[in-house]
Amino acid sequence: MAATLKDIAREVGVSVTTVSRALAGYNDVAANTKERIQETAVRLGYSPNITARRLQKQRTDTLGFIMPTFGPRFSDPFFSEFIAGIGNQAAAHKYDLLVSTHAPDSEGERQAYLQAAKRGWVDGLIVVRTREDDARIQLLCQHDFPFVAFGRTSNECAFPYVDEDSAAGMRLLVQHFVDLGHERIGLIAPPSGLMFGHYRLQSFYNTMAENNLPVQPDWIVTGDMTQRGGAEAVAALLALDPLPTAIIGGNDLMAIGAINQIQQHGLRVGQDIAVGGFDDIPLSAYMTPPLTTIHQPIYEIGQQTCAMLIDVINGRSPQDPHTLLTPTLIIRESSGTATIQMEGGERIQSN
Amino acid sequence: MAATLKDIAREVGVSVTTVSRALAGYNDVAANTKERIQETAVRLGYSPNITARRLQKQRTDTLGFIMPTFGPRFSDPFFSEFIAGIGNQAAAHKYDLLVSTHAPDSEGERQAYLQAAKRGWVDGLIVVRTREDDARIQLLCQHDFPFVAFGRTSNECAFPYVDEDSAAGMRLLVQHFVDLGHERIGLIAPPSGLMFGHYRLQSFYNTMAENNLPVQPDWIVTGDMTQRGGAEAVAALLALDPLPTAIIGGNDLMAIGAINQIQQHGLRVGQDIAVGGFDDIPLSAYMTPPLTTIHQPIYEIGQQTCAMLIDVINGRSPQDPHTLLTPTLIIRESSGTATIQMEGGERIQSN
DNA sequence: TCCATCATCCGAAACGTTTTGGATGATTTT
DNA sequence: AAAATCATCCAAAACGTTTCGGATGATGGA
């Protein structure tokens, strides 16, 4: 149906080789033949068969991204923004983006990574939500398959990554609350096993300790990164006596779920209980009260991760392929600066 | 590097053809040769080269999805859920999913569809957020390229689609408010040109008319489908005198933005002003107050659209490839049933 | 004994591209 | 006039797979 090089060659009365070289811009084709070839190509609506080209070039010009989704029904705004970031960057470098979804640590996920690591599916992979002792990363390292991760891991193998400095982010947030006079701070932690959760948890303990504040085990609960998870997890915190005066959500979604529950309990967020989150998803500014949170430039992270992967694929890996992004604290009303500040706390500004 | 059919053939001492046929399960290969071939394939870690297979079979086993994104920074939870829906369905049928992002109606988008319509990139496309007189659909129809749309359009060409019955959804919502006693209802409409916005707008007018309620032109404003857009657009409504007593957001994101602004103005949502949305994104249940909205089963829509596309690609197109999903009304506190109901309004239940 | 049938195998072509390593004349240089 | 250079072209191989149309030899029936 669609025109091929052979069709053009026949039409112009020249060999397939010449057509190929003319269209590719080589200079060993006479100006006027080149012109005739180009004219015919346009007339016939020629467009190269990408599959054939890929077979010949032994590369797919395609990047892979396997979304870790919890359950079929899911909707984390993180991913649409992240995909937009890698997608646009990929397109800018003439790469396609192949997306598939699998439950984290499932057999299906393992299979997907295994298939990807075999030659011919994609040229490289982007890995997100790294886990402690991450089986995916181990597998890719073993197969020497090009990939870049968003997030670090505890595996020993060296690999390129982009990561946000979770520890710094948590420190900003905890210190913000401590400076406002809070001493009992609850944490809705991400599920254990997630690397960034690990960093955040550690940093939570550390920052509290630096301020000579004790941490009750009861103050730490775990949620599954969804609003529902946040709402469910915060119940345990609201049952404590004395109540925590501040609660940190492991991500904005959980913080939003927590806010909802706190308000259902008749407590005022930002006055009775301060709340903070992580991510600065677009919605966080439109909560009532607006959510204090740690800003993550998700789109840019996607771009950088993708750009680094393309470098790796083309052998242009930089000497230190590790980017650690410094997060910023976005102070909004949910941390209650308006009220508590008057009691003598000093306001911390981010930059 | 990776093993090919030829490697196995050499190892076993048999032809490439035989290896291919043995592995494909044909019955013209002796049982014991088949066994030796399989054993060797495993030992060599053989996995077929997908590109070569695609070239030979003249199909890519890949579906395409071009996300219409407004601006680089964007994050509509709709898309992560929708992608999960089509992605899982595609995987179930051994299809890959190619994703790219383009601004709606941009030249880049046109190019992307043009390239896709040429043979060899993907086997079929999924089109979302259909527009009135949709250039993408026109182009695909012209090229006779397989696709399924989520949403209808005003183009005359016939094509398969899945759509939600926007008119019915809007009717449910408006009638709900009317039944609660509201007469001045504001609408933050989706940008003009979007087909579902068109249906919703028409249905808004119709339902108001059916209830013998006038509609002031001032009551209709337009937002860009983001929280920010909703917040900005609602300002015009809040400047009216008399104020609308109910406001409908063209989607949940805009409704949430509107709620935020209404509360900033010192008005109580659900008491002073009722608010409704569209989509029932997971977050809508966790607003304060929780958002009354029209539920869209986005994940299922993704699945159905994808399943239909696969049917179309394989020539199994059903006689009537048009699915219209009936939406349901989810009543929550933002429509103020708790208070206004006491004034005599009758409560409408969804099912 | 001869022919048909059957089980098993394989050569070659095909998919559409890129690339290698020249070939062919014409033009320039010596 | 011979040799070197140059511009232009192309045949064939290669990428790895599937499939078409037999080929081969063994087995069965007549």
Side-chain angles (χ1 to χ4, degrees):
Chain A
M1 189 93 320
T4 72
L5 287 185
K6 205 193 288 186
D7 296 329
I8 302 178
R10 185 171 349 97
E11 191 90 356
V12 180
V14 88
S15 82
V16 170
T17 307
T18 305
V19 177
S20 174
R21 297 186 73 84
L23 261 22
Y26 284 77
N27 62 354
D28 63 351
V29 181
N32 99 72
T33 14
K34 181 181 291 191
E35 201 170 313
R36 274 190 305 148
I37 288 172
Q38 281 164 342
E39 182 269 325
T40 315
V42 171
R43 184 161 51 78
L44 263 46
Y46 170 76
S47 100
N49 182 310
I50 309 171
T51 309
R53 178 178 291 175
R54 284 177 179 168
L55 177 58
Q56 152 68 26
K57 294 227 168 173
Q58 290 293 88
R59 50 183 298 166
T60 64
D61 289 322
T62 301
L63 272 23
F65 175 52
I66 299 173
M67 275 206 286
T69 67
F70 309 82
R73 187 83 203 279
F74 109 112
S75 160
D76 193 331
F78 169 86
F79 285 107
S80 18
E81 190 162 349
F82 190 75
I83 288 182
I86 50 184
N88 286 344
Q89 191 69 19
H93 290 82
K94 307 252 178 237
Y95 276 83
D96 285 335
L97 179 63
L98 214 46
V99 173
S100 69
T101 63
H102 285 286
D105 266 327
S106 63
E107 178 56 21
E109 184 188 56
R110 223 187 78 84
Q111 290 299 329
Y113 276 89
L114 213 54
Q115 178 187 8
K118 306 278 186 168
R119 175 200 43 179
W121 198 56
V122 294
D123 291 341
L125 281 173
I126 285 173
V127 177
V128 297
R129 293 260 162 96
T130 52
R131 322 199 254 268
E132 308 188 41
D133 197 25
D134 199 312
R136 304 170 294 174
I137 289 179
Q138 194 147 0
L139 189 145
L140 294 176
C141 280
Q142 277 172 6
H143 283 76
D144 239 336
F145 192 80
F147 75 101
V148 174
F150 170 31
R152 288 160 285 176
T153 179
S154 57
N155 300 50
E156 78 247 8
C157 72
F159 62 92
Y161 62 77
V162 174
D163 202 0
E164 37 112 18
D165 193 342
S166 290
M170 182 58 89
R171 177 180 312 274
L172 282 173
L173 203 47
V174 172
Q175 195 64 50
H176 171 60
F177 282 142
V178 169
D179 289 341
L180 288 171
H182 293 278
E183 299 192 341
R184 297 191 305 279
I185 304 179
L187 175 67
I188 307 174
S192 76
L194 252 38
M195 207 57 200
F196 74 92
H198 173 83
Y199 286 118
R200 289 180 192 175
L201 189 58
Q202 280 309 316
S203 177
F204 177 79
Y205 283 120
N206 290 345
T207 311
M208 290 295 274
E210 286 163 17
N211 287 278
N212 296 313
L213 293 171
V215 174
Q216 300 290 337
D218 286 349
W219 297 352
I220 315 277
V221 295
T222 299
D224 67 0
M225 306 286 288
T226 68
Q227 318 83 332
R228 174 185 301 272
E232 288 168 1
V234 81
L237 296 177
L238 293 176
L240 295 179
D241 183 20
L243 276 178
T245 62
I247 292 177
I248 294 175
N251 66 346
D252 281 353
L253 253 31
M254 291 203 290
I256 290 170
I259 287 178
N260 178 261
Q261 281 306 297
I262 293 168
Q263 289 171 334
Q264 299 270 348
H265 275 241
L267 296 168
R268 293 164 304 167
V269 170
Q271 287 157 284
D272 302 320
I273 294 191
V275 174
F278 267 86
D279 283 354
D280 192 28
I281 62 175
L283 272 170
S284 60
Y286 292 90
M287 293 295 104
T288 303
L291 182 63
T292 289
T293 187
I294 298 294
H295 178 73
Q296 314 272 24
I298 300 175
Y299 182 83
E300 287 76 12
I301 290 173
Q303 281 189 310
Q304 283 199 31
T305 312
C306 184
M308 195 181 279
L309 177 57
I310 292 175
D311 280 347
V312 168
I313 287 174
N314 295 303
R316 290 192 306 269
S317 52
Q319 60 281 36
D320 185 30
H322 303 309
T323 304
L324 206 56
L325 295 157
T326 312
T328 43
L329 174 64
I330 310 289
I331 297 177
R332 299 202 186 97
E333 294 170 34
S334 76
S335 54
T337 43
T339 28
I340 303 192
Q341 192 177 350
M342 297 192 299
E343 294 165 11
E346 195 171 287
R347 185 155 185 168
I348 302 295
Q349 270 301 349
S350 67
N351 54 349
Chain B
M1 191 91 319
T4 71
L5 287 185
K6 204 192 287 185
D7 296 328
I8 301 179
R10 188 174 341 101
E11 192 90 358
V12 180
V14 87
S15 82
V16 170
T17 305
T18 305
V19 177
S20 174
R21 296 185 73 85
L23 261 24
Y26 284 77
N27 63 352
D28 62 352
V29 181
N32 97 71
T33 12
K34 182 183 288 190
E35 202 170 312
R36 275 190 304 149
I37 288 172
Q38 281 164 343
E39 182 268 327
T40 315
V42 171
R43 185 161 49 80
L44 264 45
Y46 171 77
S47 100
N49 181 308
I50 310 172
T51 309
R53 178 177 290 176
R54 285 176 179 167
L55 178 59
Q56 152 68 27
K57 294 228 165 167
Q58 290 294 86
R59 49 185 299 167
T60 64
D61 288 324
T62 302
L63 271 24
F65 175 52
I66 299 173
M67 274 206 286
T69 68
F70 309 83
R73 186 85 203 277
F74 107 110
S75 158
D76 194 330
F78 168 86
F79 287 108
S80 29
E81 189 162 350
F82 190 75
I83 289 181
I86 50 182
N88 286 344
Q89 192 68 20
H93 290 82
K94 307 251 178 237
Y95 276 83
D96 285 335
L97 179 63
L98 214 45
V99 173
S100 69
T101 64
H102 285 285
D105 266 327
S106 63
E107 178 56 21
E109 183 188 56
R110 223 187 78 83
Q111 290 298 329
Y113 276 89
L114 213 53
Q115 178 187 6
K118 307 278 186 167
R119 176 199 44 181
W121 197 57
V122 295
D123 290 341
L125 280 173
I126 286 173
V127 178
V128 297
R129 293 261 161 94
T130 51
R131 320 199 254 269
E132 308 188 42
D133 197 24
D134 198 313
R136 304 170 294 174
I137 289 179
Q138 194 147 359
L139 189 146
L140 294 176
C141 280
Q142 277 172 6
H143 283 76
D144 240 335
F145 192 80
F147 74 102
V148 174
F150 169 32
R152 288 159 284 176
T153 178
S154 57
N155 301 48
E156 78 245 9
C157 71
F159 62 93
Y161 62 78
V162 174
D163 202 0
E164 39 112 18
D165 192 341
S166 290
M170 181 58 89
R171 178 179 311 275
L172 283 174
L173 204 46
V174 172
Q175 195 65 50
H176 171 59
F177 283 143
V178 170
D179 289 340
L180 287 171
H182 293 277
E183 301 192 339
R184 297 191 305 280
I185 304 179
L187 175 68
I188 306 174
S192 76
L194 251 38
M195 206 58 199
F196 74 93
H198 173 82
Y199 285 119
R200 288 179 192 176
L201 188 59
Q202 280 308 316
S203 177
F204 177 79
Y205 283 121
N206 292 344
T207 312
M208 290 294 275
E210 286 162 17
N211 286 277
N212 296 314
L213 292 171
V215 174
Q216 300 290 337
D218 286 349
W219 297 351
I220 315 277
V221 293
T222 300
D224 67 0
M225 308 285 289
T226 68
Q227 317 83 331
R228 173 184 301 273
E232 288 169 1
V234 81
L237 296 178
L238 293 176
L240 295 179
D241 183 20
L243 275 179
T245 62
I247 292 177
I248 294 176
N251 65 347
D252 281 354
L253 253 29
M254 291 202 291
I256 289 170
I259 288 178
N260 178 263
Q261 280 307 298
I262 292 168
Q263 289 170 335
Q264 298 272 348
H265 276 241
L267 297 169
R268 293 162 305 167
V269 170
Q271 286 157 285
D272 302 319
I273 294 191
V275 174
F278 267 86
D279 282 354
D280 192 28
I281 62 175
L283 272 169
S284 61
Y286 293 90
M287 294 295 104
T288 303
L291 182 63
T292 288
T293 188
I294 298 294
H295 178 74
Q296 315 273 25
I298 300 175
Y299 182 84
E300 286 77 12
I301 290 173
Q303 281 189 311
Q304 283 199 32
T305 312
C306 184
M308 194 180 279
L309 177 57
I310 293 175
D311 280 348
V312 168
I313 288 174
N314 294 303
R316 289 193 307 269
S317 52
Q319 61 282 34
D320 185 30
H322 303 308
T323 305
L324 207 55
L325 296 157
T326 312
T328 44
L329 174 65
I330 309 289
I331 297 176
R332 299 202 186 96
E333 293 170 34
S334 76
S335 53
T337 43
T339 26
I340 303 191
Q341 191 176 350
M342 297 192 299
E343 295 165 12
E346 194 171 286
R347 183 154 187 170
I348 302 295
Q349 269 301 349
S350 66
N351 56 350

